[in-house]
Amino acid sequence: MTAPEGRGIAASSSFSGISDLSGPAETFRILHVSTGNVCRSPMTERLTRHALTHRLGLAAAGGLIVESAGTWGHEGAPMEANAATVLDEFGADATGFVGRELLDEHVIRADLVLTATRDHRAQVISMGHSAGLRTFTLKEFTRLVRAIDPATLPDPLDDGVVERARALVRAAAALRGWLLAPSIEADEVHDPYGAPLTYFRSVGEEIDQALEPVVTALTGLAARA
């Protein structure tokens, strides 16, 4: 999605998925960021929610709050129809989404920020709020998570998924300078805005594949067949 001219980096918010559920007082907030918050970040948000709920159940997933926003967010806009179609094909819930523009408050309260591209990552970090150690591109975080020994993370049954999630982010940040991307493209999820449904499907599959090891690491549970 091409950013409108003459606008600066706004602050974002987006639909909070699991945050609407009653759960433990202690929470871990995941913020997905793209450009318009109508294609990539909504798909990533809802696929994350779907995967977490599938593995943990609604009640157990209550401590993990999933949101999204856009650096040039279409405030109040619905999700793109093709993005909603892809989510439906994955069995994820696309209803009730409202696009939001990225705000300082969303970065401040996020425990983990996952962006579609390196440019989005740079924009989030440029907002300050000590965001550098908890902001990654989605694919960058996937690469780092794959290198972390799950045995070194808190047990989700004994310590809870929130404590495990916080430890995972710390471990990924510590590895960032050691595990570099083989190419710039390796860390990017390209924008499908305006593209046909087939391209949205390929982006949805790309996002889903990147999320699988992340959700496994967060929950300590592999995907159920």
Side-chain angles (χ1 to χ4, degrees):
M1 173 172 294
T2 302
E5 294 183 359
R7 297 181 61 188
I9 301 170
S12 102
S13 145
S14 140
F15 181 82
S16 169
I18 297 174
S19 60
D20 295 328
L21 303 171
S22 58
E26 190 177 32
T27 60
F28 182 90
R29 192 177 294 265
I30 302 168
L31 176 66
H32 294 294
V33 175
S34 62
T35 303
N37 195 216
V38 291
C39 298
R40 287 169 291 183
S41 51
M43 285 195 292
T44 313
E45 174 198 314
R46 296 306 181 88
L47 286 172
T48 304
R49 283 182 63 197
H50 178 67
L52 289 172
T53 303
H54 184 65
R55 298 188 201 193
L56 296 174
L58 290 177
L64 302 176
I65 300 172
V66 186
E67 302 175 310
S68 65
T71 56
W72 303 93
H74 290 219
E75 187 73 25
M79 188 187 309
E80 281 290 299
N82 282 344
T85 297
V86 169
L87 288 174
D88 184 65
E89 292 173 350
F90 273 98
D93 184 11
T95 62
F97 181 86
V98 177
R100 294 185 181 178
E101 194 169 7
L102 183 64
L103 300 171
D104 289 277
E105 65 191 67
H106 306 129
V107 175
I108 290 169
R109 67 189 183 186
D111 297 289
L112 172 63
V113 184
L114 297 176
T115 69
T117 70
R118 293 156 62 101
D119 282 345
H120 296 133
R121 183 186 64 191
Q123 290 175 54
V124 171
I125 293 173
S126 74
M127 295 171 71
H129 316 303
S130 303
L133 291 177
R134 49 194 167 89
T135 302
F136 310 79
T137 74
L138 170 62
K139 288 187 172 182
E140 174 191 21
F141 195 65
T142 300
R143 182 176 69 253
L144 297 172
V145 161
R146 288 184 185 276
I148 297 170
D149 182 355
T152 64
L153 299 173
D155 189 309
L157 295 178
D158 294 335
D159 303 296
V161 292
V162 169
E163 186 57 36
R164 183 182 178 92
R166 289 174 178 164
L168 183 68
V169 173
R170 291 193 298 267
L175 284 174
R176 193 192 326 242
W178 298 93
L179 292 177
L180 302 179
S183 68
I184 291 177
E185 289 296 306
D187 278 346
E188 307 280 293
V189 175
H190 294 295
D191 194 352
Y193 185 74
L197 179 58
T198 52
Y199 191 73
F200 271 81
R201 284 181 176 134
S202 68
V203 170
E205 183 64 32
E206 185 178 359
I207 291 170
D208 185 65
Q209 290 178 3
L211 282 173
E212 195 283 326
V214 172
V215 174
T216 296
L218 283 170
T219 63
L221 298 170
R224 287 181 284 175

